Amino acid sequence: MNVLNFIHAFFSDSSHWHGYDGIPTRLWEHVQYSLEALAYAAVIGLPVGLVTGHFGRGGNTLALIATAGRALPSFGLLVLMVIWLGLGKLPVMIPLVILAVPPILVTTYEAMRSVDPSPVDAARGMGMPEARVLFQVELPVALPLILSGLRSATIQIVSTATIAAYVSLGGLGRYIIDGLYQRNYEKVVGGATLVAAMALATLGIFWAIQRLTVSPGVRRS
């Protein structure tokens, strides 16, 4: 059987659409893991990136942190966390968050530094407080690039959250891990297809978010 046949066989099997191992259940588990990891990463990366970018300090340190974070292998870190913390969701969240923080952090910093300094200086000259300069002048202009960092981080999380299945959790990785163990390649290909489809859906969601949140003038610039 070729890949298309595997895909058709997986999705046409009614048993894959019901129960605890059904596609809706596994998809919802994967979405929950991804959203939770993204929320933690955004809480860490966005404030640090916004503040350091606003004041223009710490760029080299952020680049060093991002390089170190990207160099860490997610699966290897997962194994270490399981040895240290035991089984559960926390050992999965830590590698996912470490994976997602660098693109959010660095992109947010670069987005803030790319804002035209003229309106920023004008706002300060009018006596506008730094917080208002940050959120009312710089952030609207930097938002498209910030969203691109969040989009990149989300896609990486969605693609990597399959590692949750290695520690007996759910998600779409369950199909891949169980399929390999059972030598059921129909299930492996089906799970991989679902992960790829979820990554593509993420692109569409962020495109819609950008259309709704970014002003037309900024999009055209």
Side-chain angles (χ1 to χ4, degrees), residues 38-52 62 97 100-106 108-109 150:
L38 179 63
Y40 290 140
V43 166
I44 296 170
L46 284 177
V48 176
L50 288 172
V51 172
T52 55
L62 294 185
V97 171
V101 165
I104 296 175
L105 188 61
V106 173
T108 302
Y109 174 84
L150 287 168

mmCIF file of all heavy atoms in Angstrom, residues 38-52 62 97 100-106 108-109 150:
data_model
loop_
_atom_site.group_PDB
_atom_site.id
_atom_site.type_symbol
_atom_site.label_atom_id
_atom_site.label_comp_id
_atom_site.label_asym_id
_atom_site.label_seq_id
_atom_site.Cartn_x
_atom_site.Cartn_y
_atom_site.Cartn_z
ATOM 1 N N LEU A 38 1.972 26.922 24.662
ATOM 2 C CA LEU A 38 2.071 28.242 24.041
ATOM 3 C C LEU A 38 1.787 29.339 25.053
ATOM 4 O O LEU A 38 2.452 30.385 25.056
ATOM 5 C CB LEU A 38 1.095 28.338 22.865
ATOM 6 C CG LEU A 38 1.067 29.684 22.137
ATOM 7 C CD1 LEU A 38 2.417 29.968 21.494
ATOM 8 C CD2 LEU A 38 -0.046 29.712 21.098
ATOM 9 N N ALA A 39 0.804 29.119 25.922
ATOM 10 C CA ALA A 39 0.473 30.126 26.943
ATOM 11 C C ALA A 39 1.661 30.357 27.872
ATOM 12 O O ALA A 39 2.016 31.515 28.164
ATOM 13 C CB ALA A 39 -0.748 29.676 27.739
ATOM 14 N N TYR A 40 2.282 29.282 28.342
ATOM 15 C CA TYR A 40 3.452 29.434 29.216
ATOM 16 C C TYR A 40 4.587 30.157 28.491
ATOM 17 O O TYR A 40 5.241 31.049 29.056
ATOM 18 C CB TYR A 40 3.939 28.060 29.690
ATOM 19 C CG TYR A 40 3.018 27.361 30.657
ATOM 20 C CD1 TYR A 40 2.790 25.990 30.568
ATOM 21 C CD2 TYR A 40 2.372 28.055 31.674
ATOM 22 C CE1 TYR A 40 1.937 25.330 31.459
ATOM 23 C CE2 TYR A 40 1.530 27.411 32.568
ATOM 24 C CZ TYR A 40 1.310 26.050 32.450
ATOM 25 O OH TYR A 40 0.473 25.409 33.330
ATOM 26 N N ALA A 41 4.846 29.773 27.246
ATOM 27 C CA ALA A 41 5.933 30.388 26.486
ATOM 28 C C ALA A 41 5.662 31.863 26.228
ATOM 29 O O ALA A 41 6.578 32.697 26.300
ATOM 30 C CB ALA A 41 6.131 29.642 25.159
ATOM 31 N N ALA A 42 4.402 32.200 25.935
ATOM 32 C CA ALA A 42 4.060 33.596 25.672
ATOM 33 C C ALA A 42 4.187 34.440 26.943
ATOM 34 O O ALA A 42 4.648 35.594 26.885
ATOM 35 C CB ALA A 42 2.639 33.685 25.118
ATOM 36 N N VAL A 43 3.786 33.879 28.076
ATOM 37 C CA VAL A 43 3.901 34.604 29.349
ATOM 38 C C VAL A 43 5.370 34.908 29.660
ATOM 39 O O VAL A 43 5.695 35.956 30.236
ATOM 40 C CB VAL A 43 3.256 33.789 30.485
ATOM 41 C CG1 VAL A 43 3.650 34.347 31.852
ATOM 42 C CG2 VAL A 43 1.745 33.794 30.335
ATOM 43 N N ILE A 44 6.261 34.020 29.256
ATOM 44 C CA ILE A 44 7.695 34.241 29.487
ATOM 45 C C ILE A 44 8.287 35.143 28.413
ATOM 46 O O ILE A 44 8.980 36.130 28.714
ATOM 47 C CB ILE A 44 8.446 32.893 29.500
ATOM 48 C CG1 ILE A 44 7.972 32.029 30.669
ATOM 49 C CG2 ILE A 44 9.958 33.119 29.591
ATOM 50 C CD1 ILE A 44 8.488 30.602 30.617
ATOM 51 N N GLY A 45 8.036 34.821 27.155
ATOM 52 C CA GLY A 45 8.735 35.474 26.058
ATOM 53 C C GLY A 45 8.242 36.866 25.710
ATOM 54 O O GLY A 45 9.052 37.761 25.423
ATOM 55 N N LEU A 46 6.918 37.081 25.721
ATOM 56 C CA LEU A 46 6.387 38.368 25.275
ATOM 57 C C LEU A 46 6.793 39.535 26.184
ATOM 58 O O LEU A 46 7.300 40.549 25.684
ATOM 59 C CB LEU A 46 4.865 38.290 25.144
ATOM 60 C CG LEU A 46 4.331 37.550 23.915
ATOM 61 C CD1 LEU A 46 2.803 37.490 23.956
ATOM 62 C CD2 LEU A 46 4.794 38.214 22.631
ATOM 63 N N PRO A 47 6.587 39.455 27.513
ATOM 64 C CA PRO A 47 6.971 40.599 28.346
ATOM 65 C C PRO A 47 8.458 40.924 28.268
ATOM 66 O O PRO A 47 8.837 42.098 28.181
ATOM 67 C CB PRO A 47 6.563 40.155 29.760
ATOM 68 C CG PRO A 47 5.538 39.100 29.555
ATOM 69 C CD PRO A 47 5.931 38.394 28.301
ATOM 70 N N VAL A 48 9.294 39.877 28.296
ATOM 71 C CA VAL A 48 10.743 40.116 28.237
ATOM 72 C C VAL A 48 11.123 40.736 26.896
ATOM 73 O O VAL A 48 11.904 41.700 26.821
ATOM 74 C CB VAL A 48 11.515 38.803 28.468
ATOM 75 C CG1 VAL A 48 13.016 39.028 28.309
ATOM 76 C CG2 VAL A 48 11.219 38.243 29.847
ATOM 77 N N GLY A 49 10.576 40.218 25.806
ATOM 78 C CA GLY A 49 10.876 40.760 24.495
ATOM 79 C C GLY A 49 10.388 42.188 24.324
ATOM 80 O O GLY A 49 11.077 43.034 23.741
ATOM 81 N N LEU A 50 9.184 42.477 24.839
ATOM 82 C CA LEU A 50 8.638 43.835 24.728
ATOM 83 C C LEU A 50 9.476 44.845 25.508
ATOM 84 O O LEU A 50 9.806 45.923 24.993
ATOM 85 C CB LEU A 50 7.191 43.852 25.237
ATOM 86 C CG LEU A 50 6.138 43.186 24.357
ATOM 87 C CD1 LEU A 50 4.803 43.116 25.085
ATOM 88 C CD2 LEU A 50 5.974 43.921 23.036
ATOM 89 N N VAL A 51 9.812 44.506 26.745
ATOM 90 C CA VAL A 51 10.546 45.456 27.596
ATOM 91 C C VAL A 51 11.971 45.666 27.090
ATOM 92 O O VAL A 51 12.439 46.805 26.965
ATOM 93 C CB VAL A 51 10.546 44.963 29.060
ATOM 94 C CG1 VAL A 51 11.459 45.840 29.916
ATOM 95 C CG2 VAL A 51 9.130 44.978 29.624
ATOM 96 N N THR A 52 12.668 44.573 26.781
ATOM 97 C CA THR A 52 14.045 44.722 26.290
ATOM 98 C C THR A 52 14.077 45.413 24.931
ATOM 99 O O THR A 52 14.974 46.216 24.661
ATOM 100 C CB THR A 52 14.733 43.346 26.198
ATOM 101 O OG1 THR A 52 13.928 42.464 25.393
ATOM 102 C CG2 THR A 52 14.940 42.741 27.566
ATOM 103 N N LEU A 62 19.679 37.958 24.829
ATOM 104 C CA LEU A 62 18.528 37.248 24.280
ATOM 105 C C LEU A 62 18.951 36.321 23.147
ATOM 106 O O LEU A 62 18.442 35.204 23.036
ATOM 107 C CB LEU A 62 17.483 38.241 23.771
ATOM 108 C CG LEU A 62 16.794 39.114 24.813
ATOM 109 C CD1 LEU A 62 15.710 39.951 24.156
ATOM 110 C CD2 LEU A 62 16.199 38.269 25.922
ATOM 111 N N VAL A 97 7.878 24.270 26.144
ATOM 112 C CA VAL A 97 8.028 25.691 26.460
ATOM 113 C C VAL A 97 9.424 26.178 26.091
ATOM 114 O O VAL A 97 9.585 27.259 25.501
ATOM 115 C CB VAL A 97 7.730 25.944 27.949
ATOM 116 C CG1 VAL A 97 8.093 27.375 28.333
ATOM 117 C CG2 VAL A 97 6.265 25.675 28.249
ATOM 118 N N ALA A 100 9.557 26.774 22.473
ATOM 119 C CA ALA A 100 8.745 27.870 21.949
ATOM 120 C C ALA A 100 9.210 29.251 22.383
ATOM 121 O O ALA A 100 8.931 30.237 21.697
ATOM 122 C CB ALA A 100 7.286 27.674 22.363
ATOM 123 N N VAL A 101 9.892 29.355 23.512
ATOM 124 C CA VAL A 101 10.286 30.671 24.011
ATOM 125 C C VAL A 101 11.247 31.404 23.065
ATOM 126 O O VAL A 101 11.042 32.604 22.803
ATOM 127 C CB VAL A 101 10.884 30.555 25.432
ATOM 128 C CG1 VAL A 101 11.620 31.832 25.820
ATOM 129 C CG2 VAL A 101 9.791 30.269 26.447
ATOM 130 N N PRO A 102 12.302 30.766 22.527
ATOM 131 C CA PRO A 102 13.244 31.519 21.693
ATOM 132 C C PRO A 102 12.622 32.267 20.515
ATOM 133 O O PRO A 102 12.906 33.468 20.347
ATOM 134 C CB PRO A 102 14.233 30.441 21.241
ATOM 135 C CG PRO A 102 14.217 29.440 22.330
ATOM 136 C CD PRO A 102 12.793 29.400 22.794
ATOM 137 N N PRO A 103 11.777 31.644 19.673
ATOM 138 C CA PRO A 103 11.219 32.428 18.560
ATOM 139 C C PRO A 103 10.327 33.570 19.020
ATOM 140 O O PRO A 103 10.313 34.636 18.400
ATOM 141 C CB PRO A 103 10.421 31.389 17.749
ATOM 142 C CG PRO A 103 10.202 30.241 18.659
ATOM 143 C CD PRO A 103 11.366 30.221 19.578
ATOM 144 N N ILE A 104 9.586 33.372 20.124
ATOM 145 C CA ILE A 104 8.751 34.455 20.639
ATOM 146 C C ILE A 104 9.616 35.583 21.177
ATOM 147 O O ILE A 104 9.395 36.768 20.877
ATOM 148 C CB ILE A 104 7.806 33.925 21.736
ATOM 149 C CG1 ILE A 104 6.828 32.905 21.169
ATOM 150 C CG2 ILE A 104 7.055 35.074 22.401
ATOM 151 C CD1 ILE A 104 5.953 32.242 22.211
ATOM 152 N N LEU A 105 10.604 35.232 21.961
ATOM 153 C CA LEU A 105 11.462 36.210 22.620
ATOM 154 C C LEU A 105 12.239 37.040 21.604
ATOM 155 O O LEU A 105 12.195 38.282 21.617
ATOM 156 C CB LEU A 105 12.421 35.472 23.557
ATOM 157 C CG LEU A 105 13.297 36.284 24.499
ATOM 158 C CD1 LEU A 105 12.446 37.100 25.442
ATOM 159 C CD2 LEU A 105 14.216 35.354 25.284
ATOM 160 N N VAL A 106 12.942 36.367 20.705
ATOM 161 C CA VAL A 106 13.807 37.070 19.755
ATOM 162 C C VAL A 106 12.985 37.877 18.754
ATOM 163 O O VAL A 106 13.309 39.027 18.441
ATOM 164 C CB VAL A 106 14.724 36.065 19.030
ATOM 165 C CG1 VAL A 106 15.509 36.755 17.915
ATOM 166 C CG2 VAL A 106 15.684 35.421 20.016
ATOM 167 N N THR A 108 9.953 39.116 19.107
ATOM 168 C CA THR A 108 9.347 40.266 19.777
ATOM 169 C C THR A 108 10.366 41.376 19.975
ATOM 170 O O THR A 108 10.073 42.559 19.747
ATOM 171 C CB THR A 108 8.752 39.842 21.133
ATOM 172 O OG1 THR A 108 7.784 38.814 20.925
ATOM 173 C CG2 THR A 108 8.088 41.021 21.824
ATOM 174 N N TYR A 109 11.563 41.005 20.386
ATOM 175 C CA TYR A 109 12.626 42.001 20.560
ATOM 176 C C TYR A 109 12.929 42.699 19.236
ATOM 177 O O TYR A 109 12.994 43.940 19.169
ATOM 178 C CB TYR A 109 13.884 41.326 21.116
ATOM 179 C CG TYR A 109 15.080 42.249 21.189
ATOM 180 C CD1 TYR A 109 15.260 43.092 22.289
ATOM 181 C CD2 TYR A 109 16.027 42.300 20.169
ATOM 182 C CE1 TYR A 109 16.349 43.940 22.366
ATOM 183 C CE2 TYR A 109 17.113 43.148 20.232
ATOM 184 C CZ TYR A 109 17.271 43.968 21.327
ATOM 185 O OH TYR A 109 18.343 44.821 21.387
ATOM 186 N N LEU A 150 4.960 34.242 17.255
ATOM 187 C CA LEU A 150 3.995 33.358 17.909
ATOM 188 C C LEU A 150 3.564 32.231 16.974
ATOM 189 O O LEU A 150 3.401 31.081 17.398
ATOM 190 C CB LEU A 150 2.777 34.164 18.343
ATOM 191 C CG LEU A 150 2.968 35.094 19.543
ATOM 192 C CD1 LEU A 150 1.781 36.032 19.686
ATOM 193 C CD2 LEU A 150 3.166 34.298 20.824
#
